[in-house]
Amino acid sequence: MQKYDNYIDGKFSQSKSGQIRKIMDPANGEQIATVPESTKEDMLIAIAAARKAFDHGPWRKTAALDRGKALFKIADGIRAKAKMLAEIETKNCGKPLPEAEYDVADAANCFEFYGGLATKIHGETMSVPANSISYVVREPVGVCGQIVPWNFPLLMASWKIAPALAAGNTVILKPSELTPMTALELAKIIHESGLPEGVVNIVSGPGVGAGEELAINKDVDKIAFTGGTATGRKIMTAATGNLKRVTLELGGKNPNIIFEDCDIEAAVDGALFGAFANQGEVCSAGSRLLVHKSVHKQIVDGMLAKISRIKLGHGLSEGTKMGPLISSDHREKVESYIKIGIDEGAKLICGGKRPTSADLSLGNFLEPTIFDHVKPTMRIAREEIFGPVLSVIPFSTEEEAIELANDSEYGLAAGIWTKNVVRAHRVSQALRAGIIWVNNYHPTFNEMPWGGYKQSGHGRELGLHGIEAYLEIKQININLDETPIGWY
Ligand code: NDP
């Protein structure tokens, strides 16, 4: 069994408190590792290390080309350990191995993308007023606190750390207390890459008691958070103490809209993948399936015909398509929504219960669940469930579909299924969401911005916009006229 350390100021260590946390495999309840159960004291040490590294260390003055090369080295390090990282991710999160392999490859690509971008952080020049030169430079924000959730641990850590480093910042990352293993493996890769001490600090511990210090502490210049909307709100409030920069990537109740002029087979596949990939534990999950009435039966029958292909099992077992939920508490939360759906009068057409086979009895498994004839006012149509529960809502017109889709406090992602290119553009522009997929669901690109409208978040990650969130803008004016101004 693996015993992990925190990574602070270039050194590996246990929590000052000596406390540890046992890490469990959610598929069978077996203990797979221990990690430090860090406290505020550990966090303060990490913040001081990141502050010192930013204010007095070499990193922010390192040539952009060399910062880029350092990120390429981290990408290489991830690729060299890809198999091991994917297996750990599967054991710790429950997700099927092919999904974990995809995440690990994407994490390496993310470091590579931002490694390339390090040399493309440009300024602007202007000649205002006459006889002067004015220019704009982009500089690192400073010390960045970063808090990530349990559904995509390595990938989320990479989305946070890579742009911050490319821009010349220093960071303290707190992984979820449930899934800290791959982030602590990433710490080893970063250490081996030779980054100066204190530039990256990775501290495992709970949100309340450790992570919250990153939002509160006045030596932290920016906080970047991915997780639930309720926690995001707390973080934003805590960050007002020193008005730190805040980016939030929060929840969603994303509409996946199937029009009557779609390719039915592709739409069925997209509906299932949108709802059930990663056990439905995805902020961008297509958990509201809006279906035109004329194809409603075909779509529902198509999904029911394929649902048995979503084989439950340990993520490392051959053929597994869906793993366990992250914890027994979380499974109970999802089950409570299934009860709410039944009580509210939605029609449960599949799933809704734990599997009965003996080999799955020790894990947090739940069958993929579909409710049909869901009314838009029902809680299962409005609240983020964050599990394998799909709500099917029929509609009659394009206008109604748009209205239903936008009738949400969230605005992260949306899917559109149609062969009509004009409709695809028209509906894409009408939807109030940060990510629109047409005839597809879930593809994510390091090159494209990620983030939501409304209560799905604040700011953007990934792409060129993602690095802007880690940069301050400074104007510098140089007077070329040496004559005294003679004002007085
Ligand atoms: P949280 O938002 O509570 O957790 C995300 C991260 O924030 C974890 O690292 C957590 O630490 C940390 N955290 C928790 N409270 C605080 C705090 N007060 N200050 C600083 N950091 C904090 O998500 P949960 O795991 O509790 O899940 C709750 C719901 O959030 C889910 O059911 C889902 O709806 C949504 N969610 C959305 C995600 C997304 O990708 N947008 C991801 C995960 C959840 P720790 O857990 O280690 O204590």
Side-chain angles (χ1 to χ4, degrees):
M1 194 193 337
Q2 191 76 29
K3 181 181 180 197
Y4 286 97
D5 287 318
N6 285 333
Y7 182 55
I8 299 177
D9 208 11
K11 292 165 214 67
F12 292 92
S13 60
Q14 288 291 303
S15 163
K16 288 277 174 206
S17 71
Q19 291 175 47
I20 56 159
R21 168 179 283 268
K22 294 176 184 170
I23 301 300
M24 306 299 183
D25 180 336
N28 53 27
E30 279 173 18
Q31 187 182 338
I32 49 176
T34 65
V35 298
E37 180 76 335
S38 307
T39 63
K40 177 176 168 179
E41 189 188 0
D42 303 301
M43 212 42 103
L44 290 175
I45 296 169
I47 292 169
R51 186 79 260 167
K52 185 178 75 183
F54 185 77
D55 292 340
H56 307 295
W59 183 245
R60 72 195 251 217
K61 296 184 197 126
T62 298
L65 183 66
D66 294 325
R67 288 205 307 273
K69 284 180 183 168
L71 269 74
F72 293 151
K73 236 175 164 178
I74 297 171
D76 290 345
I78 293 173
R79 290 202 183 103
K81 293 183 175 177
K83 187 171 182 300
M84 182 260 287
L85 289 168
E87 285 174 7
I88 292 176
E89 201 77 309
T90 284
K91 275 196 199 168
N92 196 178
C93 302
K95 66 178 74 197
L97 185 62
E99 293 186 25
E101 286 168 344
Y102 182 90
D103 292 356
V104 172
D106 219 25
N109 292 342
C110 182
F111 275 97
E112 212 158 64
F113 173 72
Y114 282 109
L117 212 53
T119 50
K120 282 119 200 135
I121 300 169
H122 292 166
E124 299 137 42
T125 56
M126 280 151 262
S127 49
V128 242
N131 288 325
S132 75
I133 299 173
S134 295
Y135 62 100
V136 172
V137 291
R138 288 184 163 75
E139 296 184 341
V141 168
V143 174
C144 303
Q146 306 183 318
I147 300 176
V148 292
W150 41 260
N151 51 349
F152 293 91
L154 181 67
L155 194 58
M156 291 301 105
S158 304
W159 284 20
K160 296 274 182 290
I161 295 175
L165 292 185
N169 297 282
T170 61
V171 309
I172 309 108
L173 178 105
K174 191 204 84 68
S176 160
E177 60 187 339
L178 298 172
T179 59
M181 292 171 68
T182 47
L184 295 170
E185 289 290 347
L186 180 62
K188 296 179 199 168
I189 292 169
I190 288 172
H191 184 71
E192 285 155 16
S193 79
L195 231 56
E197 59 192 29
V199 172
V200 173
N201 305 274
I202 301 186
V203 182
S204 106
V208 176
E212 60 192 354
E213 188 58 27
L214 293 174
I216 296 166
N217 197 288
K218 294 191 176 160
D219 275 338
V220 178
D221 300 299
K222 177 195 162 80
I223 181 92
F225 170 77
T226 298
T229 295
T231 313
R233 203 169 278 124
K234 282 185 202 157
I235 284 182
M236 200 162 184
T237 307
T240 57
N242 65 334
L243 295 179
K244 51 174 70 68
R245 309 292 176 259
V246 179
T247 41
L248 303 173
E249 206 275 275
L250 307 174
K253 190 74 189 177
N254 310 285
N256 194 4
I257 311 172
I258 301 184
F259 287 104
E260 66 282 13
D261 51 12
C262 70
D263 177 317
I264 296 285
E265 202 184 333
V268 166
D269 276 3
L272 291 173
F273 187 64
F276 299 123
N278 207 62
Q279 300 82 237
E281 295 169 323
V282 189
C283 51
S284 55
S287 53
R288 281 192 294 153
L289 192 69
L290 309 185
V291 187
H292 191 270
K293 279 183 177 151
S294 65
V295 291
H296 173 240
K297 185 168 172 355
Q298 271 173 290
I299 295 292
V300 168
D301 288 351
M303 289 196 296
L304 291 179
K306 283 193 167 171
I307 199 95
S308 60
R309 295 191 196 175
I310 304 179
K311 185 172 171 268
L312 292 173
H314 194 292
L316 292 179
S317 302
E318 189 70 29
T320 292
K321 297 289 183 202
M322 191 192 281
L325 299 191
I326 191 65
S327 65
S328 55
D329 284 354
H330 187 57
R331 178 169 63 173
E332 278 171 26
K333 178 188 155 190
V334 176
E335 286 173 328
S336 76
Y337 272 105
I338 294 172
K339 184 171 180 314
I340 289 168
I342 293 168
D343 292 348
E344 283 182 321
K347 189 173 168 206
L348 180 68
I349 57 171
C350 73
K353 54 186 191 324
R354 302 177 183 188
T356 48
S357 61
D359 58 325
L360 303 182
S361 62
L362 295 175
N364 308 314
F365 292 94
L366 192 62
E367 290 180 350
T369 299
I370 304 180
F371 280 103
D372 196 6
H373 298 292
V374 174
K375 296 211 165 57
T377 48
M378 291 177 178
R379 283 182 64 193
I380 57 167
R382 308 200 70 78
E383 296 175 23
E384 186 180 46
I385 300 174
F386 222 68
V389 181
L390 176 63
S391 295
V392 181
I393 306 173
F395 67 85
S396 302
T397 64
E398 184 181 304
E399 293 68 33
E400 187 191 0
I402 292 167
E403 204 173 307
L404 286 170
N406 285 337
D407 180 21
S408 171
E409 67 191 33
Y410 296 111
L412 183 56
I416 299 170
W417 298 85
T418 178
K419 286 187 197 161
N420 178 338
V421 71
V422 177
R423 168 175 268 172
H425 284 289
R426 188 170 57 229
V427 178
S428 295
Q429 294 194 9
L431 294 176
R432 303 254 304 141
I435 302 146
I436 311 286
W437 292 297
V438 177
N439 296 330
N440 209 345
Y441 208 91
H442 272 328
T444 306
F445 309 101
N446 287 307
E447 298 79 2
M448 297 291 280
W450 180 272
Y453 284 34
K454 299 190 262 181
Q455 293 189 43
S456 286
H458 204 72
R460 293 293 179 272
E461 296 192 293
L462 296 186
L464 304 182
H465 300 270
I467 203 163
E468 287 294 336
Y470 286 95
L471 291 164
E472 287 282 13
I473 292 175
K474 178 187 281 178
Q475 60 152 306
I476 298 174
N477 312 99
I478 303 189
N479 184 9
L480 300 180
D481 179 355
E482 291 179 84
T483 318
I485 56 169
W487 189 273
Y488 299 110

